[in-house]
Amino acid sequence: MAWDFTTEPEFQELLDWADSFVTNKVYKLDVLWPHDCYRPAADLTPQQRAVIDPMKAQVRERGLWACHLGPELGGQGYGQLKLAMLNEILGKSIWGPRIFGTQAPDTGNAEILAHYGTPDQKAAYLKPLLEGDIVSCYSMTEPQGGADPGVFQTTAVRDGGDWVISGQKFFSSNARYASFFIVMAVTAPGAPLARRMSMFLVPAQTPGIEIVRNFAHLGEPEDAGTEALIRYDNVRVPASAMLGGEGDAFGVAQVRLGGGRVHHAMRTLGNAQRCLDMMAERALSRVTKGEPLAAKQAVQNMIADSYIEIAQFRLLVLHTAWQIDKYQDYNRVRKDIAAIKVLTPRVMEAVGKRAIQIHGALGTTYDLPLTRMFTSGLLLALADGPTEVHQTTVARQVLRGYKPSDGMWPSEYIPARRAAAESELLGGVSEG
Ligand SMILES: Cc1cc2nc3c(=O)[nH]c(=O)nc-3n(C[C@H](O)[C@H](O)[C@H](O)COP(=O)(O)OP(=O)(O)OC[C@H]3O[C@@H](n4cnc5c(N)ncnc54)[C@H](O)[C@@H]3O)c2cc1C
């Protein structure tokens, strides 16, 4: 019997340490510097470095740095299932992923550099990224459409030994802090969509790159926005800047997005659990009409539904992570990856909204972390592709296991089944 929900005691010890470290130490960074966690190390103040660097060192000493990576890249090679358990803890905190070296979008960008990068590209970009010294930006979505790569217009045109990139990109996260951008551009306009684009590594200082605007979303001060509209105006890079082969951009993007979506789900689990923890504490503390909120059935319903939804979500996340470890093939697990991509914002929004409701007016303010957590649900319904696109993936994958019924009636049509049963079991003689 191979089914088992227990965690190895040695790994549980590490999880317990991470949990207490995040709750007792890293949470403090969240309230001191909530908008600085994407800044590269060199951009942090000496006071911030004096606090943050020793924390990262402690994580390394515990062997918990960059746990999404294999040992050849400085990680532990724990695999996705163990990562899911750790990421649930880290996802509760704004700074958690940064202090443990698992910050998106750098994690996904590191994965594609590891997978497709040449030795020179790895030395220039991957090494400092893994050390946590620099941050990176993934620049794919365009202003005229993100969910349909068929409308992308940014081009890279061959000019002698160089490529010249021109166009606009939208919502390129962290461009303002990034040392380099990974840019998806059309290199063969007449080719079928799957082979039309290539990926380029572009240093941030390359002439012709203009950050037109940094968009802030709900919950962020306007001047702290990190989602960039970027203009690439004849940005010249050498042929060696191509990541993967010519026309490979879709394959590169899939490697990045498959893991990235699962990791977002793992972290969101932590956020949703934290909302439930807050909800429960408030329900037991707040008294109205002579009894705690926890005694009201409507409030109990909210707590019960939140627990149930989180428990279902956790099982699907863990099962998906387990499948990735087992098959080592994101494509084979794409139905469940798409399913948790759909579930992630749904659970976060539902649980976050209930947590705000139970906290009353206070819940809607910046004096609690709830609006930020709730908003993360709205954002995750779009980041890495909108919910509807992933629903289509789930449905297509589910439908692959079925075929149309043979005749006019569904195969479950009872009169036809009864006739067949009479014929097979009763020799064609109907009862009574
Ligand atoms: C927080 C955040 C961070 C992001 N970071 C990055 C980043 O670092 N780099 C990057 O390149 N991009 C990034 N994005 C952009 C993201 O990938 C896009 O927002 C997403 O792909 C959707 O594109 P769009 O916003 O242009 O919406 P559209 O493509 O205009 O879609 C709008 C809506 O139309 C509907 N829709 C679209 N297509 C379909 C369909 N096939 N079937 C049914 N309904 C559909 C959906 O309701 C969808 O929400 C980020 C987005 C967010 C919110």
Side-chain angles (χ1 to χ4, degrees):
M1 186 65 190
W3 288 90
D4 192 351
F5 289 91
T6 50
T7 309
E8 291 157 21
E10 308 79 56
F11 192 68
Q12 187 58 53
E13 239 175 73
L14 288 176
L15 290 176
D16 292 343
W17 179 83
D19 199 19
S20 126
F21 184 68
V22 168
T23 317
N24 296 320
K25 304 269 187 214
V26 184
Y27 273 12
K28 297 193 169 83
L29 307 181
D30 294 356
V31 288
L32 281 177
W33 304 304
H35 303 296
D36 289 342
C37 81
Y38 291 111
R39 287 181 187 277
D43 245 28
L44 297 172
T45 65
Q47 189 192 31
Q48 288 174 322
R49 292 289 296 266
V51 175
I52 288 160
D53 290 356
M55 286 192 185
K56 288 184 177 174
Q58 273 183 275
V59 169
R60 284 180 195 271
E61 275 165 31
R62 287 274 163 172
L64 288 173
W65 178 257
C67 278
H68 58 296
L69 299 170
E72 71 288 358
L73 293 172
Q76 300 298 318
Y78 282 136
Q80 299 297 315
L81 186 58
K82 286 182 170 164
L83 183 64
M85 292 184 242
L86 180 65
N87 268 348
E88 176 173 346
I89 294 167
L90 307 187
K92 292 180 182 175
S93 156
I94 300 171
W95 275 86
R98 178 76 190 270
I99 298 296
F100 282 71
T102 56
Q103 178 95 11
D106 296 328
T107 43
N109 293 342
E111 274 181 68
I112 52 177
L113 276 163
H115 201 273
Y116 289 95
T118 62
D120 284 349
Q121 289 171 339
K122 286 181 185 171
Y125 300 109
L126 183 59
K127 204 166 169 296
L129 198 57
L130 296 182
E131 288 302 316
D133 294 337
I134 60 169
V135 300
S136 59
C137 168
Y138 183 70
S139 197
M140 178 176 121
T141 302
E142 300 199 358
Q144 67 278 6
D148 177 10
V151 301
F152 290 178
Q153 293 170 3
T154 298
T155 54
V157 177
R158 194 82 203 220
D159 183 27
D162 297 338
W163 288 93
V164 179
I165 302 171
S166 299
Q168 288 198 93
K169 293 287 180 183
F170 183 54
F171 253 70
S172 296
S173 299
N174 296 343
R176 66 190 292 177
Y177 302 132
S179 293
F180 68 95
F181 304 157
I182 300 178
V183 184
M184 190 167 176
V186 174
T187 44
L193 185 56
R195 301 296 307 160
R196 199 177 296 168
M197 291 176 240
S198 307
M199 226 47 121
F200 294 91
L201 288 159
V202 184
Q205 303 310 324
T206 314
I209 298 179
E210 181 196 355
I211 297 185
V212 181
R213 182 164 166 69
N214 282 304
F215 291 81
H217 32 66
L218 188 65
E220 284 177 337
E222 259 203 81
D223 61 354
T226 54
E227 312 296 356
L229 173 65
I230 308 180
R231 191 171 294 138
Y232 295 89
D233 185 11
N234 288 304
V235 173
R236 185 173 286 272
V237 290
S240 59
M242 189 177 278
L243 180 62
E246 201 171 329
D248 278 351
F250 271 90
V252 178
Q254 277 322 308
V255 167
R256 183 184 180 282
L257 293 169
R261 288 167 183 146
V262 184
H263 300 163
H264 273 313
M266 296 168 177
R267 286 186 288 264
T268 298
L269 200 43
N271 252 338
Q273 181 62 49
R274 196 171 166 195
C275 285
L276 175 58
D277 296 344
M278 290 179 66
M279 227 189 274
E281 183 198 74
R282 182 69 168 181
L284 290 168
S285 316
R286 184 80 162 178
V287 174
T288 191
K289 299 220 167 167
E291 60 182 5
L293 288 181
K296 311 277 180 205
Q297 198 173 19
V299 172
Q300 291 170 354
N301 289 348
M302 286 198 258
I303 290 170
D305 287 349
S306 300
Y307 169 78
I308 292 163
E309 287 160 23
I310 290 170
Q312 288 174 327
F313 181 37
R314 184 179 287 112
L315 283 177
L316 189 54
V317 169
L318 294 177
H319 184 229
T320 305
W322 177 84
Q323 288 180 82
I324 296 170
D325 286 344
K326 183 173 164 74
Y327 301 122
Q328 297 293 319
D329 179 0
Y330 284 111
N331 200 36
R332 185 160 172 187
V333 190
R334 62 191 296 212
K335 177 177 65 189
D336 286 335
I337 292 177
I340 52 173
K341 175 69 177 75
V342 172
L343 204 50
T344 298
R346 205 176 270 175
V347 173
M348 193 61 245
E349 284 171 37
V351 176
K353 187 159 176 264
R354 291 184 202 118
I356 290 172
Q357 188 73 11
I358 287 182
H359 281 81
L362 182 64
T364 67
T365 68
Y366 289 134
D367 284 8
L368 290 179
L370 292 171
T371 50
R372 176 183 58 75
M373 296 198 255
F374 170 70
T375 306
S376 73
L378 304 182
L379 300 176
L380 288 166
L382 289 162
D384 292 350
T387 293
E388 294 82 351
V389 171
H390 295 283
Q391 284 173 314
T392 302
T393 303
V394 175
R396 283 196 181 138
Q397 293 293 313
V398 169
L399 288 168
R400 286 172 76 166
Y402 294 87
K403 61 181 182 58
S405 62
D406 286 336
M408 183 177 73
W409 303 109
S411 58
E412 291 280 2
Y413 185 58
I414 289 175
R417 287 174 53 209
R418 189 183 296 123
E422 282 169 358
S423 154
E424 188 182 323
L425 301 179
L426 308 177
V429 181
S430 141
E431 266 187 304

